[in-house]
Every structure is written in structure tokens, then in C-alpha cells.
Amino acid sequence: MKTTYEVADKETARYVTDVAYEIHPSLAEHGVTLAVLFAGPELKHRGFPAAATVRITRVADRLAGMPDAVITIDRARWDGLDDAGRRALVDHEAAHLVVDVRDGEVQYDEAGRPRLKMRRHDCEIGFFFDVIERHGKDACESKQYLE
């Protein structure tokens, strides 16, 4: 089934922005703007189900008035989370957004907006279950998971 998108209601967008700003004050300090979308029936990232994704908006789109970044949330996952789970999800996505600071100076783009960099995960684990089935604890996948 095809994934469809909708703009989050104002209350949800405000909640996401408030949590992102609270936990990542540099985003608030530099006025980074966020759009929030819901996706369903299932959001995917690189072909795998994802609770949420974040992307930095292109400079051309910022010049046209779009926000600095877009957080897209899987609607069903969001609806199944309590407040603590929602805060953790927003924290994860906002943690990807880093204001570009060089030599102590914030860098700005042609739209006069703070440049953002995408922070990668500290760790990513990828493995094949059939390799684990064949090699058990000796599979590098098993070792990654246990670590």
C-alpha cells in the first residue's frame, strides 16, 4: 500500500517543536524552524519501517518560505506512544539536526537561515537472521547485537 502524507495538526506541530527546542536548545537559540508531517499506513526509511524521519530542507525551498527541516512521523506509531515515548521519538529525530558552527560562528545560507548538518547515528547495526541461524553466537551479527 502506498504511503500517504498529511500536515500534522497545529497542536502536534507545536508539541514536536517545543520538545525539540527543550532538549536541543541550540535549535531554538538559532530559530531553526520545523514542519511536522504524518505518514501512513507505514513510514519507511531505506526500505525498512521507521517510527519517524527527519530531513533538512533544500536552500531553494527555504528561499520559498519552507521551514528549515521536516520531521515525518508514522501516524500509527505516534498514536500508540505515551508522552514519554513521544518525547523520546522527537528527541531522536531532533538529535540529527546540528547547527553548522565554524570557528565559533554560525553559518547561514542564502535564505539567511542557519545552515544545518545531519548528524549520523552513533551506531547502526545491520544483520541477516539467516546468517545468525547458520552460525549462532559466532556470527558478527550476534556479536553486534550483544554488544
Side-chain angles (χ1 to χ4, degrees):
M1 186 176 255
K2 183 180 179 190
T3 301
T4 59
Y5 300 88
E6 66 179 285
V7 175
D9 58 273
K10 289 182 181 183
E11 181 180 326
T12 301
R14 181 84 255 152
Y15 175 90
V16 169
T17 300
D18 288 349
V19 170
Y21 283 2
E22 174 191 336
I23 299 172
H24 301 276
S26 66
L27 298 177
E29 178 184 337
H30 299 294
V32 173
T33 55
L34 302 172
V36 181
L37 301 176
F38 279 122
E42 181 178 62
L43 178 63
K44 290 193 175 190
H45 181 63
R46 292 191 246 160
F48 292 96
T53 62
V54 63
R55 69 176 173 80
I56 298 168
T57 307
R58 297 177 324 133
V59 173
D61 292 331
R62 289 183 188 195
L63 281 164
M66 290 184 63
D68 300 320
V70 178
I71 294 177
T72 304
I73 302 169
D74 181 283
R75 165 66 88 179
R77 298 280 284 276
W78 183 261
D79 290 345
L81 293 172
D82 60 12
D83 187 63
R86 288 177 176 183
R87 288 177 59 81
L89 181 63
V90 172
D91 182 9
H92 177 100
E93 297 309 321
H96 283 292
L97 301 173
V98 177
V99 176
D100 187 0
V101 178
R102 295 181 207 161
D103 299 321
E105 297 290 325
V106 174
Q107 302 301 300
Y108 293 92
D109 63 20
E110 294 90 334
R113 306 295 308 143
R115 285 191 190 276
L116 297 174
K117 296 189 290 185
M118 186 66 74
R119 177 181 172 201
R120 298 173 61 126
H121 293 129
D122 295 332
C123 175
E124 288 198 24
I125 299 174
F127 50 88
F128 297 101
F129 291 118
D130 60 333
V131 173
I132 293 172
E133 289 171 7
R134 287 191 290 272
H135 301 280
K137 66 178 177 55
D138 295 318
C140 64
E141 288 89 340
S142 295
K143 293 173 184 174
Q144 286 178 331
Y145 178 75
L146 292 173
E147 287 174 3

